[in-house]
Amino acid sequence: MNNVIAPITDSTWAIITYEEAWNSYVNSYVIKQGNAFVLIDSHQRKQRSYFQQALEEIGVKPERTEYVYFTHRHADHIGNADMFPSRNNWIHLEDYYGLDDFSQTLFGHTFTGSGGDLPSLRFRQLSFHTEGSVAFFDPQSKICFVGDHLCFENTELGQIVGGEVGCRAAYQEHLKQWVAREPERAAEFTEGLEILQDWPIEYLATGHGPILHGEIKGFLQELIAIARP
């Protein structure tokens, strides 16, 4: 399975492509709100052909795309930002400062602070993967788009959206090994998990790999307990 459009809810889709060089999947997301669309991240530039095709299949029209939000500044998430008018593109100010001069011209809006409400979504700054990394939360669908703060690289898609018990267990084991190697770094990562506890998350949509559904708060608490026994 190299490319897939996966419905998460009746109004939200994941666009997922396989990056052979990394042996990993890359995710972007589409939310339909009324007659308008909100996008989260935009894949790599090399994946533009399928990204465009997927948007068309979902029914995304350029004139109905109101907001394009970016979880962080890395190329596999902002690679197709130039497909959209700069006025539609939003990124946290601290990651905006990390972009080169040309890439900055692609973003017409920045937002700052540790959290709050944006048009359509809520955000919290996580400041771990990059300085301006953020998680977005849709209060309607209760989906948390966590970017690369927590993601499932080198992981099979499985059901794509579901409990993914094996995926959760593998990540817990990964975290245990990480804590043993880099306890301070793992503790910084855990601070972001604690921030996410404020939201009533039902789906955890990451930047890479399957989307988790159900018992999200319990899963995050288990990870926190591993990192901070």
Side-chain angles (χ1 to χ4, degrees), residues 62 65-68 84-90 105-109:
T65 302
E66 291 191 344
Y67 305 103
V68 186
F84 311 101
S86 62
R87 67 179 180 275
N88 291 356
N89 293 339
W90 295 63
T105 67
L106 303 177
F107 296 90
H109 295 276

Side-chain angles (χ1 to χ4, degrees), residues 2 17-26 44 46-47 154:
N2 289 336
T17 60
Y18 181 68
E19 174 50 68
E20 186 174 1
W22 305 338
N23 187 31
S24 186
Y25 290 92
V26 179
Q44 300 182 85
K46 65 186 285 189
Q47 296 164 330
N154 310 117

Side-chain angles (χ1 to χ4, degrees), residues 94-171:
E94 292 192 39
D95 264 16
Y96 176 83
Y97 287 145
L99 295 169
D100 61 68
D101 290 348
F102 172 75
S103 296
Q104 286 183 347
T105 67
L106 303 177
F107 296 90
H109 295 276
T110 60
F111 53 97
T112 189
S114 61
D117 291 342
L118 298 170
S120 301
L121 299 174
R122 298 172 183 167
F123 85 95
R124 294 298 302 268
Q125 184 181 6
L126 302 180
S127 294
F128 176 78
H129 190 65
T130 64
E131 298 87 346
S133 283
V134 298
F136 296 110
F137 181 69
D138 179 4
Q140 300 301 315
S141 64
K142 294 183 171 53
I143 302 174
C144 176
F145 305 91
V146 74
D148 284 4
H149 186 81
L150 188 164
C151 57
F152 305 115
E153 297 176 304
N154 310 117
T155 302
E156 293 299 321
L157 286 179
Q159 299 178 16
I160 305 178
V161 181
E164 300 297 334
V165 174
C167 176
R168 297 182 193 221
Y171 196 86

Side-chain angles (χ1 to χ4, degrees), residues 114-115 122-124 137 144 191-201 217 220-221 224:
S114 61
R122 298 172 183 167
F123 85 95
R124 294 298 302 268
F137 181 69
C144 176
E191 291 175 4
L193 302 184
E194 292 171 336
I195 288 171
L196 297 179
Q197 295 282 295
D198 293 342
W199 288 333
I201 302 169
K217 187 168 187 175
L220 297 179
Q221 289 174 339
I224 292 168

